[in-house]
């Protein structure tokens, strides 16, 4: 079945984790595109304030305080969307958190809580959204990560949760294809993004955390999400640096392991203290920020991601990525 999606200005969209980072950037950009929004977050105060802002600027917004780890909360999101707007056209499972630190220094209780948000939150959102999306067609968009494909030392628990999100999303897509369901299922895989990710992460490293370079602006992920909401898309990496990592990991996994072991430890540590927003693993941190206070270079554009949204540029972008990967690997033994 060919999936047909509505133009953004005719859509009702649900966004979880809407008060920070990627979710916040997406909610604001969606409002500018004429989308009616249902936004969810654990931070009730910031959520209500954001909802008021978006109602002033757009066609409609309603907020639902919710913890995606709790399926009853997620069902309330769907119920509110149906009661307020009469339908759901796109559901974005965005809520997430991380842990910086080695696996052997991370308590098992923290591993479990991370999965409750990052993996089970996606499962709850997807299973609850699907009956509504099946009814008249729509898009389910799950936020994974480059770490869905390339595991990061010092963030291995986070990587494992994003690997799980990828496996779940791909399996769900195939099952919906078997049913000829009119639902587009997309996995968005951002590279390092300049959001309050490090501020909200639990940290066992003994030094302030940082997102490894290259780092991209959150509006690039928002643009990818809104593109997938209106154009059936299987998956999309945001950031050419992220695509480089996933390509190298497929071409030369042994070499990539050595590169990660040699570089990722120092790349994820800094002396720059994060903005004091609070560890959000078990309870909401202070939200309302799209970006981190990181002072390093942030890439405001990505030629690769732009090309993926414009099919005639895609071949050129892939050739460029392939050539760069070949140059890096030329003369080295592939493992």
């Amino acid at each position: 079945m060919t999936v047909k999606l509505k133009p953004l200005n005719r859509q009702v969209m649900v966004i979880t984790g809407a008060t920070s980072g990627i979710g916040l950037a997406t909610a604001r950009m969606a409002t500018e595109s004429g989308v009616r929004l249902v936004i969810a977050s654990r931070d009730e105060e910031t959520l209500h304030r954001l909802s008021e802002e978006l109602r002033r600027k757009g066609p409609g917004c309603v907020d639902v305080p919710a913890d995606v780890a709790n399926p009853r909360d997620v069902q309330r999101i769907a119920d509110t969307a149906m009661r307020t707007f009469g339908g759901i056209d796109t559901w974005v499972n965005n809520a997430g958190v991380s842990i910086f630190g080695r696996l052997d220094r991370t308590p098992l209780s923290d591993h479990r809580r991370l999965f409750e948000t990052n993996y089970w939150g996606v499962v709850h959102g997807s299973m609850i959204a699907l009956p509504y999306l099946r009814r008249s067609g729509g898009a389910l968009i799950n936020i994974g990560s480059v770490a869905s494909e390339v595991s990061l030392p010092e963030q291995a628990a986070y990587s494992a949760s994003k690997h799980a999100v990828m496996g779940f999303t791909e399996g769900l897509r195939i099952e919906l294809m078997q049913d000829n369901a009119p639902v587009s299922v997309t996995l968005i895989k951002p590279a390092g993004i300049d959001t309050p990710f490090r501020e909200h992460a639990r940290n066992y490293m003994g030094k302030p955390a940082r997102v490894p370079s290259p780092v991209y602006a959150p509006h690039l992920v928002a643009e990818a999400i809104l593109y997938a909401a209106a154009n059936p898309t299987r998956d999309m990496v945001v950031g050419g640096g992220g695509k480089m990592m996933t390509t190298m990991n497929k071409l030369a996994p042994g070499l990539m392991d050595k590169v990660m072991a040699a570089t990722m430890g120092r790349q994820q540590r800094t002396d720059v203290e994060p903005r004091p927003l609070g560890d959000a693993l078990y309870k909401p941190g202070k939200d309302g920020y799209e970006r981190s206070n990181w002072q390093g270079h942030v890439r405001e554009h990505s030629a690769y991601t732009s090309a993926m949204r414009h099919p005639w540029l895609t071949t050129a972008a892939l050739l460029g990525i392939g050539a760069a990967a070949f140059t890096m690997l030329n003369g080295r033994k592939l493992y």
Side-chain angles (χ1 to χ4, degrees):
M1 174 180 288
T2 301
V3 178
K4 296 182 179 179
L5 303 176
K6 294 179 183 178
L8 290 174
N9 61 6
R10 292 175 48 203
Q11 286 203 23
V12 174
M13 180 181 294
V14 171
I15 304 174
T16 68
T19 55
S20 180
I22 291 168
L24 180 55
T26 304
R28 286 173 169 159
M29 192 176 292
T31 294
E32 294 172 359
S33 299
V35 177
R36 289 170 291 168
L37 285 175
V38 183
I39 57 173
S41 169
R42 293 178 296 169
D43 183 349
E44 293 190 36
E45 181 181 348
T46 304
L47 185 68
H48 294 327
R49 190 165 59 248
L50 175 62
S51 186
E52 291 175 0
E53 171 196 327
L54 299 179
R55 280 195 294 272
R56 290 193 302 270
K57 297 179 178 179
C61 180
V62 61
D63 58 275
V64 186
D67 182 346
V68 296
N70 184 340
R72 290 186 296 275
D73 282 8
V74 180
Q75 184 62 59
R76 283 195 299 106
I77 300 172
D79 292 343
T80 301
M82 296 304 295
R83 185 172 59 251
T84 305
F85 297 120
I88 300 169
D89 300 298
T90 296
W91 186 294
V92 182
N93 286 311
N94 167 72
V97 70
S98 189
I99 299 171
F100 284 88
R102 289 173 54 96
L103 288 170
D104 56 6
R105 297 173 189 168
T106 303
L108 289 178
S109 57
D110 287 359
H111 283 262
R112 294 182 188 279
R113 176 59 198 182
L114 185 75
F115 264 76
E116 288 291 338
T117 299
N118 290 8
Y119 174 71
W120 285 106
V122 168
V123 173
H124 296 154
S126 299
M127 294 295 97
I128 288 170
L130 276 175
Y132 306 100
L133 297 175
R134 281 176 178 268
R135 192 173 303 167
S136 55
L140 176 68
I141 302 173
N142 293 337
I143 308 305
S145 169
V146 167
S148 297
E149 298 189 46
V150 184
S151 193
L152 302 175
E154 311 286 357
Q155 284 194 82
Y158 173 79
S159 299
S161 72
K162 293 300 185 178
H163 272 67
V165 167
M166 183 172 71
F168 170 80
T169 303
E170 293 185 349
L172 178 62
R173 181 189 299 112
I174 294 167
E175 291 181 2
L176 289 170
M177 290 173 67
Q178 290 175 330
D179 296 342
N180 287 320
V183 181
S184 172
V185 178
T186 302
L187 182 66
I188 302 290
K189 295 176 282 189
I193 305 296
D194 181 34
T195 69
F197 182 87
R198 70 186 190 119
E199 284 91 336
H200 286 154
R202 180 150 290 196
N203 187 348
Y204 290 107
M205 296 194 303
K207 291 197 70 173
R210 59 163 289 190
V211 175
S213 298
V215 177
Y216 296 85
H219 70 81
L220 298 175
V221 190
E223 289 169 356
I225 291 169
L226 295 187
Y227 177 83
N231 302 273
T233 304
R234 185 183 189 277
D235 57 17
M236 188 182 298
V237 174
V238 178
K243 186 61 179 178
M244 178 85 68
M245 289 177 65
T246 61
T247 300
M248 287 186 64
N249 199 52
K250 290 174 182 176
L251 291 175
L255 175 61
M256 192 63 173
D257 287 350
K258 293 178 180 179
V259 171
M260 298 290 278
T263 64
M264 276 295 149
R266 65 174 180 271
Q267 279 211 42
Q268 295 183 92
R269 291 173 168 81
T270 181
D271 294 321
V272 179
E273 290 290 342
R275 186 189 289 119
L277 301 183
D279 168 352
L281 186 60
Y282 290 93
K283 60 183 181 180
K286 184 179 179 182
D287 284 346
Y289 298 90
E290 288 189 21
R291 300 204 178 202
S292 171
N293 68 335
W294 172 244
Q295 300 300 311
H297 178 64
V298 176
R299 301 187 182 196
E300 299 293 330
H301 305 282
S302 168
Y304 169 78
T305 306
S306 295
M308 297 306 291
R309 299 199 310 275
H310 300 88
W312 63 275
L313 289 175
T314 299
T315 300
L318 292 175
L319 287 173
I321 292 290
F326 177 81
T327 299
M328 293 181 70
L329 297 173
N330 190 30
R332 300 188 185 189
K333 181 178 180 180
L334 303 185
Y335 292 87

